[in-house]
Amino acid sequence: MQLFAQGAGAFAIILGVAFLILYALGHELLSTWGAFLFMCAVPVQLVVSVLWGCGYPASIAALPQPAKGAALTLMTAGGAMLAALAVFTLVGRSVAPPTPMLLHYSILSIVVTFWMILLMRGWPLNLFLRHPLWLGVGTLATCYAIAYALFRLLFDYSFLIGTHVYVQSLDPQGLLDAWSAISFFVTLGGAILILTLSDMTLVTGLVGRGQPHVVKLVATLMALLMSLVCWVVFVKGLGMDTVVYLVKVPVGFTFGVFLVDNLMQHRLFVGVAQPLRGILLTLLASVYAYLMYYVFAAAGPYLTGMALSSGAPAYTLELWLSSALLSVTFPVIVTMTAYFGFWPVRR
């Protein structure tokens, strides 16, 4: 019961903070600078909270709460600003405000960081980058580089030609239309989370636990296959609009995972053996995703002061929900649960 009470208390704080941020930013600022800057914080948060386990630097790790949480938040903000400056200059070519191309690249960099940290656990960089600082910096640099290569190869924005947001010099003119590409990669992020919820037993059940690097590589292939099947079923099979699918399925599911896992301190269904535990968490995350979609959709007009229409051509609701759920609320969840250790709910 205490676990649920702490989770509920933390969720109330998270929702309150997220709604305040969303209200303060408004629709226009959130859709450009707000989303971009918050998304630049996510890869840094993954390094600090997962790769470093909030244990580096040791001087900050030793601080009591809330000083530790505040220090980690400031450190993350500093790292995010450096990353944002580099990405805005090198990828966005200093075009202001941030364009859809830059925002999609930022989302892609988060998915690649999910893969590198949650699935690969820093391998192979951790074989030769032993110091936490260099491992963290090297991981971020590698993830941004891989994301850039994928972005240049796969993303095409020709469907935006003639609109005020199209910048020809930023269009990679890749193999796929950008909405199909980004919706697939966000689905990949969800597939990676499913494998981690199962403690990789969906993979080790096939290849065993003998060689960790083999498990990681097979897990990557499995996540790609799961993502492709999911995308094809919903978009091609059920005829779901790509942008609507992006928000209702993988974005919502990713948000749901962090609610059922992080808010429950990774202790929900601990008595159930894997991979059944991971399956149960996945199903519960799907339910949370469905509920939170409608909670945020209902709150959107009050937080933005405007009607948010769903569907083509503007996708106003979908774009706002994507930014609200993952760009803003996700970092708040990590800050509350990992950085502050549920303070002040848990003292």
Side-chain angles (χ1 to χ4, degrees), residues 67-228:
K68 176 182 177 180
L72 290 174
T73 301
L74 290 174
M75 184 173 69
T76 298
M81 292 306 295
L82 290 175
L85 178 61
V87 171
F88 180 69
T89 304
L90 298 176
V91 180
R93 301 184 186 180
S94 300
V95 175
T99 62
M101 299 81 168
L102 187 62
L103 295 177
H104 282 180
Y105 170 77
S106 300
I107 296 171
L108 181 58
S109 68
I110 293 172
V111 176
V112 174
T113 310
F114 267 37
W115 169 72
M116 177 62 81
I117 293 180
L118 299 181
L119 210 61
M120 305 299 285
R121 293 291 168 176
W123 184 84
L125 296 178
N126 56 12
L127 297 179
F128 53 89
L129 294 176
R130 301 292 185 178
H131 193 281
L133 176 60
W134 300 122
L135 178 60
V137 172
T139 298
L140 288 175
T142 301
C143 289
Y144 276 116
I146 294 173
Y148 186 72
L150 292 171
F151 180 71
R152 298 297 303 178
L153 176 66
L154 298 175
F155 284 66
D156 176 70
Y157 291 88
S158 58
F159 62 90
L160 288 178
I161 293 176
T163 68
H164 71 283
V165 296
Y166 182 74
V167 180
Q168 185 176 6
S169 62
L170 299 182
D171 185 358
Q173 299 180 348
L175 299 175
L176 304 171
D177 80 86
W179 281 124
S180 295
I182 199 63
S183 63
F184 170 79
F185 278 109
V186 177
T187 306
L188 177 60
I192 290 169
L193 290 174
I194 290 174
L195 294 180
T196 59
L197 288 177
S198 72
D199 294 329
M200 303 297 286
T201 54
L202 293 175
V203 181
T204 56
L206 297 175
V207 299
R209 297 180 179 272
Q211 298 180 319
H213 62 281
V214 173
V215 173
K216 294 178 174 65
L217 294 175
V218 172
T220 300
L221 294 175
M222 184 178 291
L224 287 168
L225 180 60
M226 291 166 61
S227 306
L228 181 61

Side-chain angles (χ1 to χ4, degrees), residues 307-329:
L308 301 175
S309 58
S310 176
Y315 297 107
T316 309
L317 175 64
E318 286 76 20
L319 295 178
W320 183 84
L321 283 171
S322 179
S323 297
L325 290 171
L326 291 190
S327 300
V328 174
T329 312

Side-chain angles (χ1 to χ4, degrees), residues 266-335:
H266 313 290
R267 290 159 54 190
L268 201 59
F269 304 131
V270 289
V272 180
Q274 293 285 18
L276 180 57
R277 178 174 183 258
I279 295 172
L280 291 175
L281 289 171
T282 298
L283 293 174
L284 187 58
S286 302
V287 174
Y288 272 54
Y290 178 83
L291 294 175
M292 288 299 103
Y293 175 89
Y294 288 101
V295 168
F296 274 77
Y302 299 98
L303 296 174
T304 60
M306 60 180 286
L308 301 175
S309 58
S310 176
Y315 297 107
T316 309
L317 175 64
E318 286 76 20
L319 295 178
W320 183 84
L321 283 171
S322 179
S323 297
L325 290 171
L326 291 190
S327 300
V328 174
T329 312
F330 170 74
V332 175
I333 291 174
V334 175
T335 301

